[in-house]
Amino acid sequence: MQTFLKGKRVGYWLSEKKIKKLNFQAFAVLCRKRGIEVIQLDLTRPIEDQGPLDVIIHKLTDVIIEADQNDSQSLELVHRFQEYIDAHPETIILDPLPAIRTLLDRSKSYELIRQIETYMQDERICSPPFMELTSTYGEDTLQQIEKSGIAFPFST
């Protein structure tokens, strides 16, 4: 069976837990049967040395969260990954890092859903009321909460 991806290289970085949950080894076997090379990336080494790569599949969410909390090892891994992406814009990345950062930011995610609700004008699409408190409790905080339609209990 011919495929347009024959001879392509797919790099992946997934935790062992994700590899098992997604049954990724079966995917890798299927790719290899179709002439697609699948390699597990070692983010502690320069990705450049592991390429060239046509596609990168990753689940770096936990690493990104740790990097955002200034974990030095995670910062280095994310930096190394971003350097490769910047140097190789032709490489397809599943999932793009900016999209992951948006999903990790609850306020941005809710705002995106609210924009979709407004655009779609479909009552089947809805999200709970939300607001972001940007300062400590003040006199107007309860008024802001009521104005946003938020009721107890609160979720943090």
Side-chain angles (χ1 to χ4, degrees), residues 6-33:
K6 190 172 183 100
K8 299 292 185 180
R9 297 185 81 224
V10 175
Y12 71 94
W13 188 92
L14 304 167
S15 68
E16 288 302 318
K17 183 178 176 181
K18 280 287 186 198
I19 289 170
K20 289 176 185 171
K21 182 178 179 182
L22 298 174
N23 195 15
F24 197 81
Q25 293 307 330
F27 170 75
V29 168
L30 184 65
C31 287
R32 289 182 184 110
K33 285 181 180 178

Side-chain angles (χ1 to χ4, degrees), residues 45-149:
R45 295 181 28 232
I47 299 172
E48 193 72 46
D49 297 346
Q50 301 171 66
L53 299 167
D54 298 292
V55 177
I56 296 177
I57 300 170
H58 71 89
K59 291 294 178 195
L60 287 170
T61 307
D62 292 341
V63 176
I64 292 170
I65 290 170
E66 291 168 355
D68 288 348
Q69 295 172 350
N70 290 321
D71 177 77
S72 59
Q73 183 179 6
S74 297
L75 280 165
E76 180 62 31
L77 297 178
V78 172
H79 177 73
R80 186 172 285 130
F81 192 80
Q82 188 64 56
E83 276 185 330
Y84 184 85
I85 292 169
D86 292 344
H88 298 279
E90 73 283 0
T91 302
I92 298 168
I93 308 297
L94 302 176
D95 298 311
L97 295 185
I100 290 174
R101 290 193 181 283
T102 296
L103 292 176
L104 289 174
D105 185 324
R106 186 173 292 193
S107 184
K108 285 182 183 177
S109 294
Y110 275 134
E111 190 56 45
L112 183 60
I113 293 169
R114 191 160 283 164
Q115 289 172 8
I116 292 169
E117 288 173 342
T118 302
Y119 176 76
M120 298 291 291
Q121 297 182 351
D122 186 332
E123 61 193 37
R124 294 174 297 171
I125 301 171
C126 62
S127 64
F130 76 96
M131 70 175 285
E132 182 177 1
L133 295 175
T134 57
S135 62
T136 58
Y137 181 78
E139 292 180 21
D140 63 337
T141 303
L142 284 178
Q143 292 171 344
Q144 290 175 341
I145 291 170
E146 287 175 8
K147 183 179 174 185
S148 295

